[in-house]
Amino acid sequence: MTAAAGSPGAPQELDLDEQIAAYQREFPEVDPQVEKVVTALGRLNRRMNVAYGRQLVDLGISNSEWEVLKALVVVGRPYRLGPGDLAKRLGLTPAAMTHRIDRMVAEGLVTRDRDEANRVRVIVELTDEGREKWLQTMRLAAAFEDELLQDLTPVERAALGEILTRLLRRVESSQPDAGGRLEDLD
């Protein structure tokens, strides 16, 4: 058994090939190629999420705040959305979105003001500080991602991107509601 990456005494994780062999021992019908791909993807996803989470902590923001920053940047200038639109994009309830916005307003990452064109409507807008926080996060993520893919040639990167996109499209078409959060399964 190979030690998992991390500190001494960390829980042990089987080497990928050892895990596949164990699956085959217990479930002989398993396709070892399929299991190797999906197990590697799962492990990679978990480790990438940990790395991104550490970067966010270093920058003083939470993953939930990062999601809001991304959603506002993606819509483009002037980086504004209503709280209901934000909640839908992030798969949150309006109440959860309100609490998230409250924290972010207090931290200076967003503003929340009445829409001048429709005084009933509230608008959440990215501040300069929020945009700078988004840029800092993107810089760290880009460096991590470059390091992650450093052993792949540009052709291999393009091929991997195409293959993963095909897999993603299959999951999205067969399980259109799978974009939700794991809490949705409780």
Side-chain angles (χ1 to χ4, degrees):
M1 192 174 349
T2 307
S7 61
Q12 300 291 302
E13 184 174 57
L14 288 176
D15 173 80
L16 194 57
D17 290 326
E18 292 172 328
Q19 184 172 338
I20 304 309
Y23 287 171
Q24 286 182 290
R25 180 190 70 231
E26 299 299 323
F27 182 59
E29 303 91 280
V30 73
D31 181 334
Q33 289 177 322
V34 170
E35 283 306 310
K36 191 165 194 172
V37 168
V38 297
T39 302
L41 284 172
R43 288 184 182 189
L44 181 60
N45 181 58
R46 186 174 70 241
R47 285 171 173 79
M48 288 174 66
N49 284 334
V50 168
Y52 291 136
R54 287 179 179 148
Q55 291 176 343
L56 293 174
V57 167
D58 289 346
L59 291 172
I61 62 171
S62 69
N63 188 59
S64 59
E65 292 167 333
W66 167 241
E67 289 180 357
V68 173
L69 295 178
K70 281 192 304 187
L72 290 169
V73 168
V74 166
V75 297
R77 291 191 187 276
Y79 311 122
R80 304 172 73 190
L81 282 172
D85 292 333
L86 271 171
K88 284 179 191 168
R89 288 170 188 259
L90 300 178
L92 298 173
T93 65
M97 190 74 250
T98 298
H99 293 299
R100 194 172 289 186
I101 293 168
D102 288 345
R103 285 193 318 266
M104 295 181 75
V105 166
E107 294 168 8
L109 300 173
V110 299
T111 59
R112 176 179 38 209
D113 293 305
R114 293 271 172 215
D115 184 347
E116 292 301 320
N118 177 354
R119 299 291 296 161
V120 175
R121 187 167 186 249
V122 172
I123 296 293
V124 178
E125 186 171 345
L126 192 65
T127 63
D128 290 342
E129 183 178 342
R131 176 142 168 79
E132 182 55 34
K133 200 62 88 164
W134 179 82
L135 286 169
Q136 290 172 344
T137 306
M138 289 299 294
R139 287 182 193 109
L140 288 176
F144 167 72
E145 292 156 2
D146 282 343
E147 183 180 333
L148 175 69
L149 299 175
Q150 70 182 343
D151 297 330
L152 300 180
T153 67
V155 171
E156 290 171 324
R157 288 179 183 199
L160 180 61
E162 289 301 318
I163 290 166
L164 291 174
T165 299
R166 280 195 343 237
L167 294 175
L168 180 59
R169 285 185 184 136
R170 176 169 298 282
V171 170
E172 289 172 340
S173 68
S174 67
Q175 298 187 32
D177 61 342
R181 306 205 179 295
L182 291 177
E183 298 88 56
D184 297 342
L185 302 176
D186 291 339

